[in-house]
Amino acid sequence: MKLDRESLISWLEERNPERIEHLYAEAYRTKVSAVGDKVYLRGLVEISNICRKNCLYCGIRRDNSATVRYEISSDDVLRSADFAYHAGYASMVIQGGERTDRKFIDKITGLLKEIKRRWPLGITLSLGEQPIEVYREWFEAGAHRYLLRIESSTEELYRKIHPEDDVHSYETRVQALKDLRAAGYQVGTGVMIGLPFQTAAHLADDLLFFKAMDIDMCGMGPYLEHSETPLYVWRHLIPDQRERLEMSVRMVALLRLLMPDINIAATTAMQAIDPYGRERAILAGANVLMPNLTLSEVREEYQIYQNKPGIGEDAAISSSKTEQRLSEMKIPIGWGQWGDSKHYSKR
Ligand code: SAM
Ligand code: SF4
């Protein structure tokens, strides 16, 4: 299948249901032959919603005073790690707002060492931009995958969805991906889909950016508006939710064809639009899913977008619902396996 820029744009604009089904089936076959048919689970802990940044789309941005700030104690993170391990997940993700204070950095380092001492879990971090020394410190302490979305690979669009200052620089974001590679991580990035001002050409360029950066993992999902954020004023410019989900599944399928052996996540934002949104992405090429293990008491405060699924649920409920949906769709789970990026191991 031709996958140059023009072909990617026309696949993103395709409206013929039969051709789209054919694309998804082809992406699924490519996944099975390159990385197998299993989906790998990573238990997600949203460790803190304290953030030094002010991204114009995000509900936990620094200036949203309606958000009550929290930080989960190390003991509670260890309890979640124990849950993940005993649930057979083999991996966990620690995600949170961007913090560069030494106290927080030390807390993560200590947690990584303790988790690795107690359980053979694979650990992914998603804690924003950090100096390369911090990436190295965390890698040495036991993390081996890092997710940092570029959000949009088109600098002009990136600037429209972030404040114009040094803390939100496109150049720094790209450099961070290079630093993560140099520090030894399996590097994951991704974009939001259905942003105001975003076109099919921007999305095609995002796919080509992933390829050019030779990434190991990707997490993409629909942009979902939040009324307490500056980007909300442009909500009349975005496609409806169904279209945003459809475009997200299309992006997953095209990326699978472009980069057959990377790990691609089916994301929570897809589930926010359709309870089976993540499963649809899996059938179009995704192979990683991150059930939320965050304590129910604080979930409401990690609303990067509104109507996030699973608010009020605890880890046991979110996990069993996820497992039930996967089994209904006859999607096999890679129990007890890290499911690392094959692309990374081949490099
Ligand atoms: N602070 C870290 C960072 O930004 O890389 C990690 C946590 S941040 C909440 C994780 C991701 O949430 C971001 O990369 C962004 O793509 C996504 N996100 C934030 N606001 C969103 C929104 N309104 N709709 C969809 N995704 C959103
Ligand atoms: Fe902070 Fe990440 Fe939200 Fe930006 S997207 S405001 S860095 S949590």
Side-chain angles (χ1 to χ4, degrees):
M1 195 177 286
K2 241 172 105 187
L3 293 170
D4 57 11
R5 187 169 185 269
E6 288 317 304
S7 315
L8 290 171
I9 295 174
S10 72
W11 271 117
L12 288 163
E13 288 172 341
E14 180 63 57
R15 288 283 172 269
N16 178 327
E18 272 169 35
R19 282 180 57 80
I20 294 168
E21 272 323 301
H22 173 76
L23 175 77
Y24 294 169
E26 192 56 36
Y28 186 79
R29 270 195 295 276
T30 302
K31 168 178 93 164
V32 173
S33 73
V35 295
D37 62 351
K38 292 196 177 80
V39 59
Y40 298 97
L41 304 179
R42 284 98 169 81
L44 171 68
V45 176
E46 294 154 336
I47 190 166
S48 166
N49 66 356
I50 300 168
C51 188
R52 71 186 192 116
K53 279 200 170 169
N54 246 334
C55 306
L56 302 182
Y57 43 83
C58 179
I60 63 171
R61 63 198 298 274
R62 191 187 64 215
D63 286 355
N64 182 8
S65 54
T67 292
V68 179
R69 304 292 161 169
Y70 73 84
E71 181 179 334
I72 296 179
S73 72
S74 293
D75 282 347
D76 281 332
V77 177
L78 293 173
R79 266 188 272 279
S80 298
D82 188 57
F83 180 97
Y85 180 68
H86 287 101
Y89 289 179
S91 281
M92 68 185 294
V93 181
I94 300 176
Q95 192 189 72
E98 187 172 300
R99 287 178 58 181
T100 49
D101 54 292
R102 193 68 233 180
K103 192 163 163 252
F104 184 71
I105 292 166
D106 287 345
K107 174 176 172 168
I108 299 296
T109 306
L111 264 172
L112 291 167
K113 288 184 178 161
E114 192 55 23
I115 293 170
K116 296 305 272 193
R117 195 180 69 76
R118 295 201 202 176
W119 305 280
L121 285 167
I123 309 177
T124 310
L125 295 178
S126 177
L127 298 169
E129 292 160 34
Q130 303 287 341
I132 190 166
E133 299 74 35
V134 174
Y135 294 145
R136 290 213 163 100
E137 178 177 326
W138 288 343
F139 187 81
E140 275 156 29
H144 75 293
R145 312 181 191 113
Y146 206 105
L147 295 171
L148 187 85
R149 288 184 176 179
I150 190 70
E151 315 297 0
S152 169
S153 67
T154 302
E155 183 166 1
E156 195 194 343
L157 181 53
Y158 187 94
R159 284 167 176 271
K160 283 198 168 113
I161 61 172
H162 293 97
E164 295 233 10
D165 60 30
D166 290 349
V167 191
H168 299 84
S169 135
Y170 176 81
E171 212 185 330
T172 309
R173 195 92 179 157
V174 175
Q175 185 57 45
L177 291 172
K178 296 178 182 164
D179 289 350
L180 285 163
R181 166 70 44 81
Y185 288 88
Q186 292 175 42
V187 179
T189 190
V191 293
M192 284 175 287
I193 296 157
L195 286 162
F197 317 109
Q198 191 180 47
T199 63
H202 288 135
L203 292 172
D205 287 338
D206 291 336
L207 293 167
L208 296 171
F209 173 86
F210 301 151
K211 179 92 178 159
M213 293 292 286
D214 198 28
I215 61 166
D216 305 303
M217 321 183 288
C218 187
M220 306 178 272
Y223 159 66
L224 294 161
E225 62 275 35
H226 190 302
S227 60
E228 300 303 314
T229 62
L231 216 60
Y232 194 68
V233 296
W234 300 109
R235 63 191 179 283
H236 58 286
L237 295 181
I238 59 181
D240 69 26
Q241 287 208 347
R242 283 272 135 202
E243 175 70 9
R244 275 176 270 162
L245 176 60
E246 192 54 47
M247 290 301 272
S248 303
V249 176
R250 197 82 53 92
M251 287 286 282
V252 165
L254 291 168
L255 182 58
R256 176 59 71 197
L257 294 168
L258 262 183
M259 303 187 78
D261 59 357
I262 66 168
N263 276 352
I264 305 179
T267 55
T268 311
M270 296 172 173
Q271 187 197 355
I273 294 181
D274 175 341
Y276 288 87
R278 294 181 301 178
E279 288 72 13
R280 284 199 54 208
I282 290 167
L283 297 176
N287 68 329
V288 166
L289 197 145
M290 300 180 267
N292 196 343
L293 304 185
T294 306
L295 294 173
S296 52
E297 298 92 283
V298 296
R299 279 192 192 198
E300 198 172 342
E301 304 307 338
Y302 201 85
Q303 290 213 55
I304 50 182
Y305 45 81
Q306 282 154 326
N307 306 317
K308 194 159 164 257
I311 303 286
E313 286 178 7
D314 65 9
I317 295 177
S318 293
S319 307
S320 76
K321 278 190 181 170
T322 301
E323 289 164 34
Q324 192 190 327
R325 282 191 201 111
L326 290 172
S327 119
E328 262 175 55
M329 308 286 282
K330 304 206 171 11
I331 297 168
I333 297 174
W335 292 115
Q337 296 167 50
W338 277 14
D340 274 333
S341 167
K342 288 217 172 15
H343 189 74
Y344 175 88
S345 15
K346 281 189 206 155
R347 188 181 299 116

